[in-house]
Amino acid sequence: MKPSEEMMLRLYHKLGKLFYAVAASDAEVKKEEAEKLYEIVKSDWLPVEDAEDDFGSDAAFQIISAFDLLNDARASSTSCMKQFEDFYKSHKYLFTDKIKKLTMLTANAIASSFRGKNKSELIIIQEIQHLFRG
C-alpha cells in the first residue's frame, strides 16, 4: 500500500530534521552543508515519488523547509536526531531500502561537504546506520 501524501510530508519533514542534526552535530551549520542538501534534494529526492504539499510543490521540498527552520532557530542537533529516531521506530514501513540508501547518501554528502567528516559527524552517521540496521 502506498503511503498517503500526508505521511510523505511527515517523512520529509523528519528527514529535514535528520539532515539538520547531521549538519549541526558540530554546533555549526556551514553554508556548504546547506548548499549540498539543497543540491541533493533537487537532484535525488524530488524524483522519489510524486506527493505534493498544500501549495502544490513537491513534498520533498519539506526536507529543505524543515532544515532551514531548524537552522534559523539554532535547534539542538541531539533533539532533532531523537525526534527522527522516534519517527523511524514508529514508521519503519516508510523506510524502503531506496529511502534508507538515499538518506545515508545525503547524510554522508552533507558531512563531507565542508573539509571532510569530523568526529561529531562520523558519530551521528554511525547512529543512523545503527538505527537502520536495528
Side-chain angles (χ1 to χ4, degrees):
M1 183 166 100
K2 185 179 176 182
S4 69
E5 286 194 2
E6 179 183 333
M7 190 52 69
M8 292 308 297
L9 285 168
R10 290 183 63 204
L11 169 66
Y12 289 134
H13 183 80
K14 297 299 183 184
L15 285 167
K17 287 185 177 212
L18 175 68
F19 299 141
Y20 172 80
V22 171
S25 64
D26 56 1
E28 181 183 356
V29 176
K30 309 324 181 275
K31 180 178 91 168
E32 293 84 355
E33 292 169 323
E35 289 172 351
K36 180 54 73 174
L37 174 65
Y38 303 160
E39 176 187 318
I40 293 173
V41 167
K42 290 174 186 170
S43 65
D44 297 345
W45 283 100
L46 290 180
V48 169
E49 51 81 54
D50 58 0
E52 293 181 348
D53 65 16
D54 294 339
F55 304 104
S57 297
D58 193 296
F61 282 118
Q62 285 296 312
I63 295 171
I64 293 172
S65 177
F67 182 96
D68 286 345
L69 287 170
L70 293 162
N71 192 27
D72 289 346
R74 300 207 184 278
S76 160
S77 172
T78 305
S79 173
C80 289
M81 181 63 190
K82 175 70 173 127
Q83 290 175 46
F84 177 80
E85 285 178 32
D86 292 345
F87 180 80
Y88 175 79
K89 289 175 183 175
S90 298
H91 301 89
K92 284 186 181 182
Y93 70 95
L94 293 173
F95 292 85
T96 62
D97 288 342
K98 181 178 181 176
I99 295 289
K100 288 178 184 177
K101 182 178 179 181
L102 191 49
T103 299
M104 292 309 304
L105 178 139
T106 306
N108 277 294
I110 291 167
S112 298
S113 66
F114 184 79
R115 297 185 184 168
K117 296 175 191 157
N118 62 38
K119 185 178 179 181
S120 302
E121 293 164 337
L122 286 170
I123 290 169
I124 199 165
I125 286 172
Q126 288 174 344
E127 289 176 16
I128 299 165
Q129 288 172 330
H130 179 72
L131 181 66
F132 284 170
R133 285 189 201 123

